[in-house]
Amino acid sequence: MLMSVMGCFLFYGGLVSQSRSISGNPVRCTLWCRVIDNFGDAGVAWRLAKSLSQEFHWRVRLMIDRPETLAAFVPQCPAAAADADVFGINVRRWTDASGDREAADVPDVTVETFSCRLPDAVEAALARRFDAGIPTAVFALDYLTAETYAEESNKLVSRHPRWGYPKTFLFPGFTPKTAGVVREDDAGSRRETFTPEKRRDFLTRYGADPAAPFTLFFFTYPENPVESLVHAVVAAEEPIQVLLAPGEASRRFKAAVEKAGTPAFIRTVELPMLPQADFDDVLLASDACLVRGEDSTLRVQLSGVPLLWTLYPQTEETHLVKMRAFAEKYSAPFTPEARAAWLAMEEGLNARGITPEVWRAWKKTLPDEQKGALLWRENLLKQQTAAQTVAQIAKEKLEC
């Protein structure tokens, strides 16, 4: 362990472990989040807040416009509360009146997530803080992507067009040149501690069969080709247990199975909304996961379970550009046959639909995809986390 002369930052293995502001007190940080993408925005913001609080011992506040969304998967968070402390993090409802209140006490570090745009009063207060020469760090955190702009734009600094203060842009991604991914520093331990007994107990608790030969976790958008997937599964006539996450897509999946006569080889299990702390368990209990959203997709990758990623369909098919950029990296460890089969599934789920032939080819190569998923997981766990990136840059900005 090394300590700086001023005693402001401690280092373990070359990475910032604990930090204090120039005053010698714990770094104060506020994250701002507007919920746009269902649970995804809140989920990512909460994970980052937890890491900065628990791993770096910062005093963290999360400003969120819909704390009831956070409460859906963090049950300790009161859905109706305007101000609550949850696991040491101050969670406040972001309202029209929040700007003036928060501007009165601007913290050392401000994180604007997903282009949520800070209140004008906070922007003005940040500018005054910079003008006064008070050490301050402001970040704009973007969405996770495998596209090249994540490397090209990460850590670029731009001055606010109106207020003139500098803001550092962070682009999470899958290479060392990006901001890394939003995960806990010990995210790798979950798989190692998920024993067969824990898997059995988890599945039994929700009415699933631990002995099922193949279990798929299903969590997607209703805009994706749900019925064509069910048709392919029915045509395959192979035993499958599908764990259905709450939502319209899962209701359509079950309805399509019933329309097909509810074949005996298809078992569906409707899951409740799970706390974020337990979400990894459903992934690790599955043989493959078909999921949507940034946080869910990343957790599957960190679990080392074969992934099928469905994106929300965009105009001009821009979602396919994002998917193909990720596919190039994620499938790199696969055998050529497994890569082709997986890519066909990804294209089908995100564009033209799934045929029985595509489904069978994917199932056939699943053992090879499992090996590739574990190799990809090792790559992710070697990368710096987004929280570590924030803390390292903040160290420089706060001049400790």
Side-chain angles (χ1 to χ4, degrees):
M1 180 181 76
L2 299 176
M3 178 179 271
S4 69
V5 175
M6 295 181 64
C8 294
F9 284 81
L10 299 174
F11 291 81
Y12 292 87
L15 294 175
V16 182
S17 174
Q18 183 175 357
S19 51
R20 296 184 180 276
S21 66
I22 197 75
S23 66
N25 297 316
V27 168
R28 296 186 306 127
C29 172
T30 297
L31 289 87
W32 295 79
C33 175
R34 287 196 184 278
V35 178
I36 304 297
D37 181 23
N38 295 292
F39 301 105
D41 298 331
V44 172
W46 177 248
R47 287 196 193 275
L48 181 58
K50 281 201 307 178
S51 288
L52 292 173
S53 173
Q54 297 174 4
E55 298 166 21
F56 297 91
H57 310 290
W58 286 11
R59 290 172 53 192
V60 178
R61 173 173 296 160
L62 175 59
M63 298 294 302
I64 183 168
D65 63 334
R66 289 167 54 188
E68 62 273 15
T69 299
L70 182 63
F73 57 84
V74 183
Q76 295 83 358
C77 179
D83 193 327
D85 286 322
V86 186
F87 298 121
I89 298 167
N90 180 223
V91 178
R92 287 186 176 180
R93 184 182 292 273
W94 181 357
T95 67
D96 291 340
S98 296
D100 290 337
R101 177 183 178 182
E102 300 304 314
D105 187 23
V106 175
D108 307 299
V109 179
T110 296
V111 181
E112 173 190 289
T113 65
F114 315 128
S115 304
C116 65
R117 193 180 181 278
L118 302 176
D120 287 344
V122 172
E123 301 268 29
L126 283 168
R128 290 193 297 271
R129 186 175 168 110
F130 274 100
D131 290 344
I134 302 172
T136 306
V138 182
F139 299 95
L141 180 73
D142 212 293
Y143 289 103
L144 175 67
T145 185
E147 294 170 88
T148 56
Y149 69 77
E151 292 187 343
E152 298 164 352
S153 303
N154 186 52
K155 297 184 181 180
L156 292 182
V157 178
S158 177
R159 291 197 170 271
H160 192 284
R162 178 182 178 187
W163 299 106
Y165 68 81
K167 182 185 297 184
T168 302
F169 287 79
L170 299 180
F171 289 83
F174 303 100
T175 70
K177 293 183 179 180
T178 68
V181 297
V182 178
R183 66 166 177 86
E184 307 84 355
D185 62 355
D186 62 349
S189 65
R190 197 68 179 256
R191 181 180 177 90
E192 282 69 28
T193 58
F194 194 74
T195 63
E197 292 75 21
K198 287 185 178 180
R199 179 181 186 274
R200 179 200 61 212
D201 293 345
F202 176 85
L203 291 172
T204 301
R205 186 185 318 144
Y206 295 107
D209 180 10
F214 178 70
T215 297
L216 175 73
F217 176 58
F218 180 86
F219 175 46
T220 188
Y221 298 106
E223 290 78 8
N224 294 121
V226 175
E227 285 75 16
S228 76
L229 175 62
V230 173
H231 173 72
V233 170
V234 170
E237 296 186 344
E238 296 177 345
I240 181 174
Q241 175 172 249
V242 185
L243 307 181
L244 299 171
E248 178 60 27
S250 291
R251 287 190 286 273
R252 282 177 46 194
F253 188 100
K254 187 173 182 180
V257 171
E258 292 172 351
K259 187 176 181 180
T262 315
F265 56 85
I266 301 178
R267 177 190 179 104
T268 58
V269 179
E270 296 179 75
L271 297 176
M273 185 72 181
L274 296 175
Q276 189 186 71
D278 296 339
F279 186 67
D280 288 352
D281 290 350
V282 72
L283 309 179
L284 290 166
S286 303
D287 298 297
C289 298
L290 189 158
V291 298
R292 74 186 208 194
E294 175 176 329
D295 188 61
S296 300
T297 302
L298 179 59
R299 300 314 290 191
V300 178
Q301 295 171 59
L302 292 170
S303 74
V305 175
L307 164 71
L308 291 170
W309 181 28
T310 57
L311 292 78
Y312 188 83
Q314 302 286 331
T315 57
E316 300 181 2
E317 297 189 335
T318 54
H319 65 294
L320 296 181
V321 176
K322 188 179 183 76
M323 182 272 288
R324 288 164 183 161
F326 172 74
E328 183 177 353
K329 288 182 170 60
Y330 177 75
S331 64
F334 293 6
T335 64
E337 183 182 9
R339 178 182 172 87
W342 181 80
L343 288 172
M345 276 291 288
E346 280 294 307
E347 292 284 344
L349 288 168
N350 288 288
R352 56 181 178 271
I354 299 297
T355 65
E357 293 74 24
V358 167
W359 173 263
R360 290 191 187 99
W362 175 74
K363 281 290 299 298
K364 178 184 176 182
T365 60
L366 202 55
D368 288 334
E369 293 171 36
Q370 173 64 84
K371 295 176 183 177
L374 289 173
L375 290 172
W376 176 253
R377 172 179 177 268
E378 291 179 10
N379 169 65
L380 282 186
L381 293 175
K382 292 175 183 176
Q383 305 289 340
Q384 181 163 300
T385 71
Q388 289 166 346
T389 299
V390 170
Q392 282 190 332
I393 299 176
K395 169 189 175 293
E396 301 166 2
K397 301 289 185 182
L398 301 181
E399 300 179 346
C400 276

